[in-house]
């Protein structure tokens, strides 16, 4: 899908919100991959690449929606709690704010880097306050590919967060990430299966520490 002028369309934000109310898993071969700690992860195979799209649903207890959204957006703070970040910053390019992100990969694999647009909107949907963050890879001449680092050109993520009715957050996340290179698809999929629950645990812990530092 092409990005709307200036970024993402209102329809894209609404689609992410709708998944919180009614997960869109019908009409396609979405498979339940794993359920752990209140988190369910579904995947859909792309026959061409052998890779999967993922949808994640669940609740993060003791982490309010606003706090979770703020922590997710805080790139400087992420450098402190995400051990895989090598470089992460925002830059103005062609009148838009893009994110540059280099991710550490274990030897002997090359690091990956991303250039992507990211936008957040805080929406009121029939009295429900929902925070939505959308991200999608892009290309700008100011951020050229680096020697020894593989540029990820197919990356897309949606995140929607609302209150679980208690002290926590109800969360929906969609993502597609094709790291390229010579990594076997089974290894990429294995990393996704294990990495997502660990990421959610890490960000929940980061929320608690964020409260302490503020």
């Amino acid at each position: 899908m092409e990005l709307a002028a200036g970024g993402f369309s209102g329809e894209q934000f609404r689609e992410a919100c709708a998944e919180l109310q009614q997960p869109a898993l019908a009409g396609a071969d979405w498979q339940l991959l794993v359920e752990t700690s209140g988190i369910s992860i579904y995947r859909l195979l792309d026959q061409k690449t052998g890779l999967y799209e993922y949808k994640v649903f669940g609740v993060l207890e003791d982490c309010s929606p606003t706090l979770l959204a703020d922590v997710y957006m805080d790139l400087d703070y992420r450098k402190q709690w995400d051990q895989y970040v090598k470089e992460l910053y925002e830059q103005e390019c062609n009148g838009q704010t893009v994110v540059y992100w280099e991710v550490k990969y274990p030897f002997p694999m090359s690091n990956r880097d991303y250039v992507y647009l990211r936008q957040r909107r805080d929406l009121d949907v029939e009295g429900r306050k929902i925070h939505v963050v959308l991200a999608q890879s892009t290309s700008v001449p100011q951020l050229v590919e680096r020697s020894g680092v593989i540029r990820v050109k197919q990356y897309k993520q949606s995140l929607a967060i609302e209150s679980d009715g208690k002290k926590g957050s109800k969360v929906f996340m969609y993502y597609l990430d094709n790291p390229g290179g010579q990594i076997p698809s089974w290894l990429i999929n294995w990393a996704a299966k294990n990495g997502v629950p660990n990421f959610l645990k890490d960000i929940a812990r980061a929320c608690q520490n964020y409260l302490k530092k503020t």
Side-chain angles (χ1 to χ4, degrees):
M1 178 183 290
E2 290 295 319
L3 293 180
F8 301 91
S9 69
E11 181 61 26
Q12 287 173 288
F13 283 94
R14 288 190 292 273
E15 286 175 359
C17 288
E19 294 267 12
L20 279 174
Q21 184 78 10
Q22 182 63 50
L25 299 169
D29 295 324
W30 287 97
Q31 302 173 333
L32 179 63
L33 178 63
V34 64
E35 284 186 305
T36 178
S37 304
I39 302 295
S40 299
I41 303 175
Y42 293 82
R43 68 181 183 180
L44 178 66
L45 178 64
D46 182 328
Q47 299 287 351
K48 293 181 181 178
T49 63
L51 298 175
Y52 289 89
E53 301 171 67
Y54 294 89
K55 287 185 177 182
V56 182
F57 304 90
V59 172
L60 296 182
E61 299 178 353
D62 300 319
C63 187
S64 73
T66 300
L67 175 61
L68 181 56
D70 288 347
V71 168
Y72 185 82
M73 293 295 291
D74 190 333
L75 300 185
D76 286 334
Y77 182 45
R78 182 162 181 170
K79 297 174 195 175
Q80 300 177 36
W81 61 265
D82 187 341
Q83 62 180 318
Y84 297 105
V85 171
K86 181 173 183 182
E87 198 170 351
L88 182 60
Y89 59 85
E90 288 184 325
Q91 181 171 323
E92 289 294 321
C93 298
N94 308 327
Q96 291 186 315
T97 302
V98 301
V99 177
Y100 177 83
W101 177 32
E102 183 178 345
V103 180
K104 299 174 187 175
Y105 268 57
F107 181 84
M109 292 184 285
S110 300
N111 285 358
R112 264 59 177 175
D113 68 0
Y114 300 72
V115 176
Y116 61 94
L117 291 171
R118 182 181 70 157
Q119 291 183 359
R120 170 181 172 178
R121 290 188 189 176
D122 300 335
L123 306 175
D124 187 306
V125 180
E126 298 176 352
R128 297 156 55 212
K129 185 176 182 180
I130 303 178
H131 307 279
V132 181
V133 182
L134 302 181
Q136 186 168 324
S137 53
T138 189
S139 176
V140 293
Q142 294 91 335
L143 294 168
V144 299
E145 295 184 35
R146 300 178 176 183
S147 175
V149 179
I150 294 177
R151 174 66 49 88
V152 176
K153 298 177 181 177
Q154 191 178 10
Y155 168 71
K156 187 177 180 181
Q157 188 171 51
S158 306
L159 179 68
I161 310 164
E162 69 173 334
S163 172
D164 68 346
K166 302 174 185 177
K167 295 188 296 181
S169 296
K170 184 179 178 183
V171 176
F172 159 71
M173 183 168 67
Y174 164 90
Y175 72 98
L176 171 68
D177 187 338
N178 184 354
Q182 301 302 312
I183 306 175
S185 59
W186 68 264
L187 180 57
I188 297 169
N189 293 323
W190 176 86
K193 177 179 178 179
N194 293 274
V196 173
N198 290 337
F199 171 77
L200 293 172
K201 290 175 185 175
D202 287 346
I203 197 170
R205 192 178 305 114
C207 286
Q208 301 307 314
N209 293 332
Y210 194 80
L211 286 174
K212 293 175 184 176
K213 82 183 186 72
T214 55

